[in-house]
Amino acid sequence: MKTHAFKIYKTGAPSVMKWEEVELGKPERGEVLLRHTAIGFNMVETYFRSGLYPLPSLPSGIGGEGAGVIEAVGRGVKGLKAGDRVCYAGGPMGSYAEARLIPAAGLIKLPSHVDEQTAAASLLKGTTVQFLFNEVHKLKKGETIVFHAAAGGVGLIACQWAKAVGATVIGTVSTPEKALIAKRHGCKHPIVVKKNQDLTDAVMRITKGAGVDVVYDSIGKDLWRSSMDSVRRRGLVVNFGSASGTPPLFDLALEGNKKSAYFTRAAGNNYMTSPDVRNAAARHLFRMMKSGAIKVHAGQTYPLREAAKAHRDAAARKTTGSTLLIP
Ligand SMILES: NC(=O)c1ccc[n+]([C@@H]2O[C@H](COP(=O)([O-])OP(=O)(O)OC[C@H]3O[C@@H](n4cnc5c(N)ncnc54)[C@H](OP(=O)(O)O)[C@@H]3O)[C@@H](O)[C@H]2O)c1
């Protein structure tokens, strides 16, 4: 079967993503042929495409999240059949494609209350929030957190999830419009932050000088200093992304003496360690969605062929909520 997919031969600007015709064979043992109906864009794809994060090999497909309908199954595949609606997140790379062959083991069957676009807009982002709030730290009622990029894809799900738990969110955003969107999704204190601005004073004012229990920092370079200064004594600072570049090196003794805070880098592959774990996190997310606690907001949708535009808009910070690519 002939289909189309993006491939990259070298890292660099969005234009390195090349739209190509691809010949797909029949699914091998343990694989399925999946026709995508929606693909989730994630910020991390800009890091791989630009070279900020290393790719396992080149040439490479790009994208690790999608949803669609199974067209055919290979030998040995259990529990899935042609016609099933499924989604996946966290790889393997190559979701920027109209269709693909993919191991059945990582696929998650969609419950009837989740449509394919909602799944592609929420699976990776929502399961990230799931492990940030349940595994990295068990977020509790009464706690206060800083969550950067509060109006983004991960951010809007995080604001709603934290509110449902009974935690208070101080969220950073870059514009008043984004502040309004974050607020509507449960962020009690949106703060509009300009590049490299120190937000510690604002956080200390809100927390009456105590600092927050946990800082969730996906920005890295630009806000790391503020993140470390905004946490309470013996609180936790979690870096889980590098939207502005990786966080700078710091002097552990110097920083530790100030507050004895805990620091961690929460990489998804150290939490989503098996298909079963991912499945359980997805079920948790779907329950939160079914209860009405979390509504998924896809702020923008692009034709798949215009993926480069999605990358450019994300880097220019023009997006809100989740971003979908539609084949
Ligand atoms: N560790 C993991 O397993 C994991 C999994 C999923 C996502 N993540 C990370 O979580 C973050 C959110 O992911 P997402 O896909 O939902 O993206 P997103 O939040 O929708 O987009 C990134 C946001 O970061 C903010 N930002 C701040 N400085 C920026 C800069 N210099 N360049 C571009 N954006 C900047 C922008 O919001 P403002 O304009 O409001 O500042 C932008 O909208 C990303 O950093 C991603 O890598 C990590």
Side-chain angles (χ1 to χ4, degrees):
M1 158 188 174
K2 283 198 192 327
T3 186
H4 291 88
F6 276 105
K7 223 173 194 184
I8 57 178
Y9 293 86
K10 58 174 186 178
T11 56
S15 58
V16 299
M17 298 190 290
K18 304 293 179 200
W19 181 249
E20 293 185 350
E21 190 175 86
V22 181
E23 178 72 44
L24 293 179
K26 290 206 163 63
E28 300 279 347
R29 186 175 184 80
E31 281 186 339
V32 311
L33 172 61
L34 177 64
R35 176 173 53 82
H36 285 135
T37 51
I39 293 147
F41 162 83
N42 289 283
M43 200 62 189
V44 71
E45 286 132 31
T46 68
Y47 313 156
F48 284 121
R49 187 261 303 143
S50 71
L52 179 68
Y53 287 2
L55 279 164
S57 63
L58 282 171
S60 172
I62 185 155
E65 179 176 39
V69 180
I70 293 179
E71 295 280 309
V73 299
R75 283 170 297 119
V77 172
K78 296 208 169 61
L80 292 171
K81 59 180 187 325
D84 281 348
R85 299 179 322 117
V86 294
C87 63
Y88 65 94
M93 266 305 181
S95 66
Y96 288 19
E98 292 167 334
R100 71 182 299 189
L101 295 167
I102 187 166
L107 299 178
I108 296 168
K109 254 189 177 174
L110 280 174
S112 57
H113 66 94
V114 182
D115 63 68
E116 290 140 45
Q117 293 205 3
T118 303
S122 65
L123 184 64
L124 191 126
K125 297 166 186 73
T127 51
T128 299
V129 175
Q130 196 276 342
F131 77 73
L132 288 174
F133 288 177
N134 291 277
E135 302 297 331
V136 176
H137 167 79
K138 183 72 189 163
L139 188 63
K140 291 175 277 300
K141 186 174 175 174
E143 287 187 323
T144 302
I145 63 173
V146 164
F147 207 101
H148 294 320
V154 174
L156 289 186
I157 294 175
C159 290
Q160 297 174 81
W161 199 307
K163 187 176 180 199
V165 169
T168 301
V169 180
I170 301 173
T172 65
V173 293
S174 60
T175 66
E177 295 73 29
K178 287 189 177 188
L180 209 61
I181 293 174
K183 194 150 193 146
R184 273 196 221 116
H185 286 80
C187 172
K188 183 149 187 212
H189 304 283
I191 303 178
V192 179
V193 187
K194 296 292 163 215
K195 190 173 161 54
N196 293 331
Q197 181 193 331
D198 190 351
L199 57 99
T200 319
D201 284 351
V203 172
M204 289 302 164
R205 251 195 322 278
I206 294 165
T207 59
K208 301 190 171 46
V212 295
D213 298 289
V214 190
V215 180
Y216 292 97
D217 182 336
S218 63
I219 306 303
K221 187 165 149 284
D222 288 355
L223 290 181
W224 186 242
R225 180 71 261 158
S226 290
S227 294
M228 294 202 293
D229 289 343
S230 298
V231 75
R232 69 162 163 79
R233 201 170 260 150
R234 299 197 305 277
L236 172 66
V237 186
V238 182
N239 173 263
F240 70 101
S242 311
S244 69
T246 49
L249 292 174
F250 63 92
D251 184 327
L252 183 62
L254 199 69
E255 291 305 327
N257 284 341
K258 287 185 197 165
K259 293 180 178 173
S260 299
Y262 296 81
F263 302 99
T264 187
R265 162 83 181 174
N269 55 9
N270 291 321
Y271 287 89
M272 298 291 117
T273 47
S274 70
D276 283 352
V277 174
R278 171 86 65 190
N279 233 302
R283 284 199 304 274
H284 193 174
L285 169 68
F286 294 155
R287 280 198 304 277
M288 295 291 282
M289 285 157 60
K290 193 170 188 185
S291 75
I294 291 176
K295 294 192 170 56
V296 179
H297 173 74
Q300 46 287 309
T301 296
Y302 301 82
L304 173 59
R305 279 192 77 152
E306 292 175 21
K309 180 165 168 39
H311 277 227
R312 278 192 285 272
D313 288 351
R317 304 164 74 160
K318 289 183 183 163
T319 61
T320 56
S322 303
T323 297
L324 286 171
L325 306 174
I326 305 296

